[in-house]
Coordinates of all heavy atoms in Angstrom, one line a residue:
N1 N 35.5 248.1 179.9 CA 35.8 248.0 178.5 C 35.2 246.7 178.0 O 35.3 245.7 178.6 CB 37.3 248.1 178.2 CG 37.9 249.4 178.6 OD1 37.4 250.5 178.2 ND2 39.0 249.4 179.3
T2 N 34.6 246.8 176.8 CA 34.0 245.6 176.2 C 34.5 245.3 174.9 O 35.1 246.1 174.1 CB 32.5 245.9 176.1 OG1 32.2 247.0 175.3 CG2 31.9 246.1 177.5
N3 N 34.3 244.0 174.5 CA 34.6 243.5 173.2 C 33.6 242.5 172.8 O 33.1 241.7 173.7 CB 36.1 243.0 173.0 CG 36.3 241.8 173.9 OD1 36.5 241.9 175.1 ND2 36.4 240.6 173.3
Y4 N 33.3 242.4 171.5 CA 32.3 241.5 171.0 C 32.7 240.7 169.8 O 33.5 241.2 169.0 CB 31.0 242.3 170.6 CG 30.4 243.0 171.8 CD1 30.7 244.3 172.1 CD2 29.4 242.4 172.5 CE1 30.1 245.0 173.1 CE2 28.8 243.1 173.6 CZ 29.1 244.4 173.9 OH 28.5 245.0 174.9
A5 N 32.2 239.5 169.7 CA 32.3 238.8 168.4 C 31.6 239.6 167.4 O 30.6 240.3 167.6 CB 31.8 237.4 168.6
E6 N 32.1 239.5 166.1 CA 31.4 240.2 165.1 C 30.0 239.9 164.9 O 29.1 240.7 164.7 CB 32.2 239.9 163.7 CG 31.7 240.8 162.6 CD 32.1 242.2 162.8 OE1 33.1 242.5 163.4 OE2 31.3 243.1 162.3
S7 N 29.6 238.6 165.2 CA 28.2 238.2 165.1 C 27.3 238.8 166.1 O 26.1 238.8 166.0 CB 28.1 236.7 165.1 OG 28.6 236.2 166.4
A8 N 27.9 239.3 167.2 CA 27.2 239.8 168.3 C 27.1 241.3 168.3 O 26.2 241.9 169.0 CB 27.8 239.4 169.7
K9 N 27.9 242.0 167.6 CA 28.0 243.4 167.6 C 26.6 244.0 167.1 O 26.1 243.6 166.1 CB 29.1 243.9 166.7 CG 30.5 243.7 167.2 CD 31.5 244.3 166.3 CE 32.9 244.1 166.9 NZ 34.0 244.5 165.9
G10 N 26.2 245.0 167.8 CA 24.9 245.7 167.5 C 23.7 245.0 168.0 O 22.6 245.5 167.9
R11 N 23.8 243.7 168.5 CA 22.7 243.0 168.9 C 22.8 242.6 170.4 O 21.8 242.6 171.1 CB 22.5 241.7 168.1 CG 22.3 241.9 166.7 CD 21.9 240.6 166.0 NE 22.9 239.5 166.1 CZ 22.7 238.3 166.6 NH1 21.5 238.0 167.1 NH2 23.7 237.5 166.7
F12 N 24.0 242.3 170.9 CA 24.2 241.9 172.3 C 24.9 243.0 173.0 O 25.7 243.7 172.5 CB 25.1 240.6 172.3 CG 24.4 239.4 171.7 CD1 25.1 238.2 171.7 CD2 23.1 239.4 171.2 CE1 24.5 237.0 171.2 CE2 22.6 238.3 170.6 CZ 23.3 237.1 170.6
T13 N 24.6 243.0 174.3 CA 25.3 244.0 175.2 C 25.7 243.2 176.5 O 24.9 242.6 177.1 CB 24.4 245.1 175.6 OG1 24.0 245.8 174.4 CG2 25.1 246.1 176.5
I14 N 27.0 243.3 176.8 CA 27.5 242.8 178.0 C 27.7 243.9 179.1 O 28.1 245.0 178.7 CB 28.8 242.0 177.8 CG1 29.2 241.3 179.1 CG2 29.9 242.9 177.4 CD1 30.4 240.3 178.9
S15 N 27.3 243.6 180.3 CA 27.4 244.5 181.4 C 27.7 243.8 182.7 O 27.6 242.6 182.7 CB 26.2 245.4 181.5 OG 25.1 244.6 181.8
R16 N 28.1 244.5 183.7 CA 28.4 243.9 185.0 C 28.0 244.8 186.1 O 27.9 246.0 186.0 CB 29.9 243.6 185.1 CG 30.8 244.8 185.1 CD 32.3 244.3 184.9 NE 32.8 243.6 186.0 CZ 33.9 243.0 186.0 NH1 34.7 242.9 184.9 NH2 34.4 242.4 187.2
D17 N 27.7 244.1 187.2 CA 27.4 244.8 188.5 C 28.4 244.3 189.5 O 28.2 243.2 190.0 CB 26.0 244.5 188.9 CG 25.6 245.3 190.1 OD1 26.4 245.7 190.9 OD2 24.3 245.6 190.3
N18 N 29.4 245.0 189.8 CA 30.5 244.6 190.6 C 30.0 244.4 192.1 O 30.5 243.5 192.8 CB 31.7 245.5 190.6 CG 32.4 245.5 189.3 OD1 32.4 244.5 188.6 ND2 32.9 246.7 188.9
A19 N 29.1 245.2 192.5 CA 28.5 245.0 193.9 C 27.8 243.7 194.0 O 27.8 243.1 195.2 CB 27.6 246.1 194.2
K20 N 27.3 243.1 193.0 CA 26.6 241.9 193.0 C 27.4 240.7 192.4 O 26.9 239.6 192.4 CB 25.3 242.0 192.2 CG 24.3 243.0 192.8 CD 23.0 243.0 192.0 CE 22.0 244.0 192.6 NZ 20.8 244.0 191.8
N21 N 28.6 241.0 192.0 CA 29.5 240.0 191.4 C 28.8 239.3 190.2 O 28.9 238.0 190.1 CB 30.0 238.9 192.4 CG 30.9 239.5 193.5 OD1 31.7 240.5 193.2 ND2 30.9 239.0 194.7
T22 N 28.1 240.1 189.4 CA 27.3 239.5 188.4 C 27.6 240.1 187.0 O 27.9 241.3 186.9 CB 25.8 239.8 188.7 OG1 25.5 239.1 190.0 CG2 24.9 239.2 187.6
V23 N 27.6 239.3 186.0 CA 27.7 239.8 184.6 C 26.5 239.4 183.9 O 25.9 238.3 184.1 CB 29.0 239.2 184.0 CG1 28.9 237.7 183.9 CG2 29.2 239.8 182.6
Y24 N 26.1 240.3 182.9 CA 24.8 240.1 182.2 C 25.1 240.0 180.7 O 26.1 240.6 180.2 CB 23.8 241.2 182.4 CG 23.5 241.4 183.9 CD1 24.2 242.4 184.6 CD2 22.5 240.7 184.5 CE1 23.9 242.6 186.0 CE2 22.2 240.9 185.9 CZ 22.9 241.9 186.6 OH 22.6 242.1 187.9
L25 N 24.3 239.4 180.0 CA 24.3 239.5 178.5 C 22.9 239.7 178.0 O 22.1 238.8 178.1 CB 24.9 238.2 177.9 CG 25.1 238.2 176.4 CD1 26.2 239.2 176.0 CD2 25.4 236.8 175.8
Q26 N 22.7 240.9 177.5 CA 21.4 241.2 176.9 C 21.5 240.9 175.5 O 22.3 241.4 174.7 CB 21.1 242.7 177.1 CG 19.8 243.2 176.5 CD 18.6 242.6 177.1 OE1 18.5 242.6 178.4 NE2 17.7 242.1 176.4
M27 N 20.6 240.0 175.1 CA 20.6 239.5 173.7 C 19.3 239.9 173.0 O 18.2 239.5 173.3 CB 20.7 237.9 173.7 CG 21.8 237.4 174.5 SD 21.7 235.6 174.8 CE 21.8 234.9 173.2
N28 N 19.5 240.8 172.0 CA 18.4 241.3 171.2 C 18.5 240.8 169.8 O 19.6 240.4 169.3 CB 18.4 242.8 171.3 CG 18.2 243.4 172.6 OD1 17.5 242.8 173.5 ND2 18.8 244.6 172.9
S29 N 17.4 241.0 169.1 CA 17.4 240.6 167.7 C 17.9 239.2 167.5 O 18.8 238.9 166.6 CB 18.2 241.6 166.8 OG 17.7 242.9 166.9
L30 N 17.4 238.3 168.2 CA 17.9 236.9 168.2 C 17.7 236.2 166.9 O 16.8 236.5 166.2 CB 17.2 236.0 169.3 CG 17.6 236.3 170.7 CD1 16.6 235.7 171.7 CD2 19.0 235.9 171.0
K31 N 18.7 235.4 166.5 CA 18.7 234.6 165.3 C 18.8 233.1 165.6 O 19.4 232.8 166.7 CB 19.9 235.0 164.4 CG 19.9 236.5 164.0 CD 21.1 236.8 163.2 CE 21.2 238.3 162.8 NZ 22.4 238.6 162.0
P32 N 18.3 232.3 164.8 CA 18.5 230.8 165.0 C 19.9 230.4 165.2 O 20.2 229.5 166.0 CB 17.9 230.2 163.8 CG 16.9 231.2 163.3 CD 17.5 232.5 163.6
E33 N 20.9 231.1 164.6 CA 22.3 230.7 164.7 C 22.8 231.1 166.1 O 24.0 230.8 166.4 CB 23.1 231.3 163.6 CG 22.8 232.8 163.4 CD 21.9 233.0 162.2 OE1 20.8 232.4 162.2 OE2 22.1 233.9 161.4
D34 N 22.1 231.8 166.9 CA 22.5 232.1 168.3 C 22.3 230.9 169.2 O 22.7 230.9 170.4 CB 21.7 233.3 168.8 CG 22.1 234.6 168.1 OD1 23.2 234.8 167.8 OD2 21.1 235.4 167.9
T35 N 21.6 229.9 168.7 CA 21.3 228.7 169.5 C 22.6 228.0 169.9 O 23.5 227.7 169.0 CB 20.5 227.7 168.7 OG1 19.2 228.3 168.4 CG2 20.3 226.4 169.5
A36 N 22.8 227.8 171.2 CA 24.0 227.3 171.7 C 23.9 227.1 173.2 O 23.0 227.7 173.8 CB 25.3 228.1 171.4
V37 N 24.9 226.5 173.8 CA 25.1 226.5 175.3 C 26.0 227.7 175.6 O 27.1 227.8 175.0 CB 25.7 225.2 175.8 CG1 25.9 225.4 177.3 CG2 24.8 224.0 175.5
Y38 N 25.5 228.6 176.4 CA 26.2 229.8 176.8 C 26.9 229.6 178.1 O 26.3 229.2 179.1 CB 25.3 231.0 176.8 CG 24.9 231.5 175.4 CD1 24.1 230.8 174.6 CD2 25.5 232.7 175.0 CE1 23.8 231.2 173.3 CE2 25.1 233.2 173.7 CZ 24.3 232.4 172.9 OH 24.0 232.8 171.6
Y39 N 28.2 229.9 178.2 CA 29.0 229.7 179.4 C 29.5 231.1 179.9 O 30.0 231.9 179.2 CB 30.2 228.8 179.1 CG 29.8 227.4 178.8 CD1 29.7 227.1 177.4 CD2 29.6 226.4 179.7 CE1 29.3 225.8 177.0 CE2 29.3 225.1 179.4 CZ 29.2 224.8 178.0 OH 28.9 223.5 177.7
C40 N 29.4 231.3 181.2 CA 29.9 232.4 181.9 C 31.4 232.1 182.3 O 31.7 231.0 182.7 CB 29.1 232.7 183.1 SG 29.8 234.1 184.1
N41 N 32.2 233.1 182.1 CA 33.6 233.0 182.4 C 34.1 234.2 183.2 O 33.7 235.3 183.0 CB 34.5 232.9 181.2 CG 36.0 233.0 181.4 OD1 36.5 234.1 181.2 ND2 36.6 232.0 181.9
A42 N 34.9 234.0 184.3 CA 35.4 235.1 185.1 C 36.7 234.7 185.7 O 37.0 233.6 186.0 CB 34.4 235.4 186.2
Y43 N 37.6 235.8 185.7 CA 38.9 235.6 186.4 C 38.7 236.2 187.8 O 38.4 237.3 188.0 CB 39.9 236.4 185.6 CG 40.4 235.6 184.4 CD1 39.7 235.6 183.2 CD2 41.6 234.9 184.5 CE1 40.1 234.9 182.1 CE2 42.1 234.2 183.4 CZ 41.3 234.2 182.2 OH 41.8 233.4 181.1
I44 N 39.0 235.3 188.8 CA 38.7 235.6 190.2 C 39.9 235.4 191.1 O 40.6 234.4 190.9 CB 37.5 234.7 190.7 CG1 36.2 235.0 189.8 CG2 37.2 234.9 192.1 CD1 35.1 234.1 190.1
K45 N 40.1 236.3 192.0 CA 41.0 236.1 193.1 C 40.3 235.8 194.3 O 39.4 236.6 194.8 CB 41.9 237.4 193.2 CG 43.0 237.2 194.2 CD 43.9 238.5 194.3 CE 45.1 238.3 195.2 NZ 44.7 237.9 196.6
E46 N 40.6 234.7 195.0 CA 39.9 234.3 196.2 C 40.6 234.9 197.4 O 41.7 235.3 197.4 CB 40.0 232.8 196.3 CG 39.3 232.0 195.2 CD 39.3 230.6 195.5 OE1 38.8 230.1 196.5 OE2 39.7 229.8 194.6

């Protein structure tokens, strides 16, 4: 299940590959206001 900031809806797509423990962010139709440091966050059980 996914949720997006309003500014990202229709342009960005989040997905994950659980076998690879990896999350992706496909960013399309980039705008100058997308400029930022992007941080990955995950809730993990060790």
Side-chain angles (χ1 to χ4, degrees):
N1 293 312
T2 59
N3 63 284
Y4 297 90
E6 189 65 31
S7 61
K9 289 181 179 178
R11 300 190 300 123
F12 295 179
T13 302
I14 188 170
S15 61
R16 63 192 291 168
D17 185 336
N18 292 328
K20 297 180 179 179
N21 292 331
T22 300
V23 63
Y24 306 94
L25 185 67
Q26 179 66 46
M27 307 168 64
N28 298 326
S29 302
L30 288 168
K31 302 177 180 180
E33 49 263 45
D34 294 322
T35 297
V37 177
Y38 284 70
Y39 296 92
C40 176
N41 168 258
Y43 281 79
I44 298 173
K45 186 179 186 300
E46 298 183 54

